[in-house]
Amino acid sequence: MSSDHALMDGELSGFRGELLRPTDGGYSASRRIWNGAIDRHPALIALCADEEDASAALKYALSRKIPLSVRGGGHNVSGSALAEGGVVTDFSALRGVAVDPDGMTARVQPGALWGDVDSASQKHGLAVPAGIVTHTGVAGLTVGGGFGWLSRHWGLTSDNLLSVRMLLADGSRVRASEDENPDLFWAVRGGGGNFGIVTEFRFRLHRLGTHVLAGPILFRADQAREAIAFYREFIATAPDELSVYLNLRTAPPLGWVPAHLRGTEVLLVIPFYVGDPRQGEDLLRPLRAFGPPAADFVGYKPYVEHQAMFDAGVPHHWGYYWKSHYLPPLTEAAVEVLLEHSWAKSSPASYTLLFHMGGAITARPKDSSAASGRDAAHAMNISAAWAAGGPSHPDIAWCRDYFTAMEPHATGGVYVNFLHNDEGEARTRAAYGSRYDRLAQIKAKYDPENVFHTNQNIRPAPAESR
Ligand SMILES: Cc1cc2nc3c(=O)[nH]c(=O)nc-3n(C[C@H](O)[C@H](O)[C@H](O)COP(=O)(O)OP(=O)(O)OC[C@H]3O[C@@H](n4cnc5c(N)ncnc54)[C@H](O)[C@@H]3O)c2cc1C
């Protein structure tokens, strides 16, 4: 079992967590991640009990010259949490969140999920801009930039990061913040897992309260053209307190969906308002009156309830394939692409999601961190999803065709955390945009041998250009 392996493996002799090799019980379950289309076989899964364990796993991978990956929530669609034939530094057991309500900060361990952070901070009516699915990992989302319902009001997730503790490629342990290793801190807020292993995140919290005015408004597919036309005008003057997302999908068989609409093609227009609900009600009145919609589920509800709204629609171990764009404000031509492609899928689980960007995301200078998306009106995620899992499905072709049709209407940029593993280097560069060269310089300083490469990789700047 694992302890025998540990005795044999010098660097791992003091390992306090659990070590899983392919022949160990528990290995098969531990190598499963959110995306059931990914089938990788690491040589070792190191279930870390603390930072020392992560350090031992890193040393082990370096001494064996095998790849190393880091697993936070295991949600990255590309499967980057799992290094084929390598070592997985797995933080699944480290999900602690310590909230300081007076200081309005939270310390978060690297295996925490957003549901962990939301529930700990909401006990005090506090929140940090999170992702919109509670079973997504904090770590990967934050180092990629991160956005969700609170971002138009309080910025990207990574804009609310105060400091990190990190384990670097040379084995050293450092802190990074605006005052300590500021170049590393700039890079780790958007540059992904390229610079080291984050072993603790410290976030600034905001006074949200426990309830928000939010929820989906359903339109039938035959109402979608007019509803989106109205939406475009409506959000053009939306204050930062308001976000309105679009979700084009098959209505799921969930309790809140009226029985007669389940299984039909629908457009969900989903407003989310931060602030006095009476002001929010006034603001949302025209949006809710338009149509009229087929159903309206906007209400004043617990934030944690709204946060869990999409959870059941994207369960673990289904097969997923994503393509993504950043979009400028929607043009009529872009809307035509949405209407032509959104429902031309074969799986009821496949969907299109348009995040609403702008507001506080855009208010910060474009180069204030390595994160992308400050110049976009929307992040568009085209998700092929199939319940059977496994590597292939006809909706992968749907997803690719749809992506290509939308390309002329997109900004050319893309959110690094929505990239799959078949996109190629040009697309990776597009994700880091004009920040790529600076990132490559910082990479050369902190990880010159590119130890952390099982990700959307930034190559270290060549020696002659450093
Ligand atoms: C259902 C779903 C919903 C999502 N919703 C949103 C959303 O609302 N907003 C949004 O911004 N994104 C969203 N995402 C994308 C999400 O940001 C990425 O999938 C992200 O990588 C998830 O983080 P994780 O820790 O779960 O990932 P993992 O797969 O565990 O890790 C992904 C990568 O992150 C890096 N990483 C992980 N842990 C560390 C660490 N401790 N130190 C350094 N690097 C690390 C590594 O490079 C790793 O390969 C969503 C994803 C899914 C699947």
Side-chain angles (χ1 to χ4, degrees), residues 164-434:
V164 286
R165 280 173 61 87
M166 286 183 78
L167 184 58
L168 301 181
D170 65 2
S172 61
R173 297 177 204 189
V174 298
R175 278 171 52 90
S177 67
E178 293 287 1
D179 305 320
E180 277 176 279
N181 300 304
D183 55 351
L184 182 60
F185 190 56
W186 181 88
V188 81
R189 290 173 295 156
N194 275 286
F195 302 92
I197 303 174
V198 179
T199 54
E200 184 185 81
F201 296 84
R202 191 164 152 264
F203 290 102
R204 177 191 308 114
L205 296 172
H206 298 274
R207 224 172 273 295
L208 174 69
T210 56
H211 283 61
V212 291
L213 182 68
I217 305 169
L218 267 76
F219 293 93
R220 298 183 313 273
D222 62 32
Q223 298 177 288
R225 186 185 305 278
E226 286 73 29
I228 297 176
F230 185 82
Y231 166 83
R232 285 168 58 204
E233 288 197 11
F234 182 77
I235 62 162
T237 55
D240 295 358
E241 290 77 18
L242 179 66
S243 306
V244 192
Y245 288 18
L246 296 185
N247 186 201
L248 298 95
R249 61 178 314 129
T250 308
L254 298 179
W256 55 269
V257 178
H260 72 281
L261 289 176
R262 290 179 200 160
T264 66
E265 306 307 341
V266 293
L267 163 71
L268 306 191
V269 177
I270 314 167
F272 178 100
Y273 182 75
V274 182
D276 181 340
R278 282 163 306 190
Q279 285 174 14
E281 291 277 4
D282 288 346
L283 191 63
L284 291 182
R285 196 160 290 121
L287 183 67
R288 299 175 69 184
F290 182 81
D296 177 344
F297 297 98
V298 177
Y300 193 55
K301 60 184 67 162
Y303 171 65
V304 290
E305 182 185 318
H306 184 75
Q307 276 290 85
M309 173 190 156
F310 283 118
D311 285 8
V314 282
H316 290 82
H317 313 320
W318 283 10
Y320 296 94
Y321 182 87
W322 288 3
K323 293 207 69 90
S324 185
H325 288 295
Y326 280 131
L327 303 179
L330 291 173
T331 59
E332 278 181 28
V335 175
E336 287 308 316
V337 177
L338 288 178
L339 296 173
E340 185 186 338
H341 289 265
S342 288
W343 298 294
K345 59 199 179 63
S346 60
S347 165
S350 299
Y351 63 84
T352 308
L353 183 62
L354 262 67
F355 291 77
H356 187 187
M357 308 289 279
I361 303 170
T362 306
R364 284 204 172 207
K366 214 174 154 191
D367 288 334
S368 56
S369 76
S372 65
R374 299 198 195 276
D375 53 356
H378 301 280
M380 176 192 196
N381 189 17
I382 309 167
S383 173
W386 54 99
S392 60
H393 189 276
D395 276 2
I396 294 175
W398 162 79
C399 185
R400 289 180 177 146
D401 288 349
Y402 188 174
F403 167 83
T404 304
M406 192 52 102
E407 208 160 14
H409 313 290
T411 66
V414 60
Y415 178 36
V416 69
N417 275 350
F418 288 168
L419 285 177
H420 214 299
N421 55 27
D422 60 352
E423 308 260 3
E425 185 166 352
R427 200 71 185 141
T428 306
R429 279 181 174 261
Y432 298 116
S434 58

Side-chain angles (χ1 to χ4, degrees), residues 34 70-77 80-81 91 110 131-133 135-141 143 146-147 193 196-198 314 322 355 415 417-418 454-455:
W34 173 78
V70 186
R71 175 182 177 149
H75 258 46
N76 199 282
V77 70
S80 60
F91 286 125
I132 63 167
V133 168
H135 50 74
T136 306
V138 172
L141 182 141
V143 298
F147 44 76
I197 303 174
V198 179
V314 282
W322 288 3
F355 291 77
Y415 178 36
N417 275 350
F418 288 168
T454 58
N455 46 37

